[in-house]
Amino acid sequence: MLAAVALLGCNKTLTQASIEGSWSEQYDPTVFAMDGSVTYTFDGNNGYQLHVYDAHSGESHDYSGHYAIDLINKGTITINPAMSDFSNVTYKLVKLTSKEMEWQKEGTTYSVGTWGSDYRHFVRVK
């Protein structure tokens, strides 16, 4: 959480456009191996496309939704903020650079065992 405050406090140039583009969820494969892929494409207008590939079944699924972002006051992103089901989740933006983004689910603390759920790590897709 302190890292998010430092990130947002030092970099006043963060805007909605900071997350615009495609981001692939990735982790250190020696610690956490994903059985597929997850890619978000944020349009910069509070909409996103989500592409999920499951390597076990060989199937891909595409979803779309909305997000709310508050980079100035809270440093958060909420996925599907208008929905009341499990997808209405808010994450603290722990890191946001031109190439890398990290989220920590609000109300949780970082630990390696929560990679892919409470802690999410993304790299920008070229």
Side-chain angles (χ1 to χ4, degrees), residues 12-74:
K12 300 289 186 192
T13 62
L14 293 176
T15 65
Q16 179 91 1
S18 298
I19 70 161
E20 189 175 330
S22 295
W23 298 86
S24 178
E25 192 165 6
Q26 291 186 7
Y27 302 93
D28 178 348
T30 63
V31 178
F32 179 73
M34 291 183 62
D35 296 328
S37 63
V38 174
T39 303
Y40 279 93
T41 301
F42 296 100
D43 66 10
N45 293 312
N46 297 94
Y48 71 85
Q49 298 294 315
L50 174 62
H51 179 78
V52 179
Y53 170 69
D54 179 347
H56 290 293
S57 68
E59 294 182 8
S60 292
H61 298 280
D62 293 306
Y63 306 93
S64 61
H66 294 87
Y67 66 96
I69 192 162
D70 182 347
L71 293 173
I72 304 297
N73 299 314
K74 297 180 183 177

Side-chain angles (χ1 to χ4, degrees), residues 1 6 14 23-24 27 33-34 36 43 49-50 52 60 64 75-76 81 89 91-92 95 108-109 111-112 117 119:
M1 181 158 344
L14 293 176
W23 298 86
S24 178
Y27 302 93
M34 291 183 62
D43 66 10
Q49 298 294 315
L50 174 62
V52 179
S60 292
S64 61
T76 60
V89 178
Y91 295 91
K92 197 75 151 157
K95 182 176 187 178
T108 66
T109 56
S111 70
V112 173
S117 60
Y119 170 78

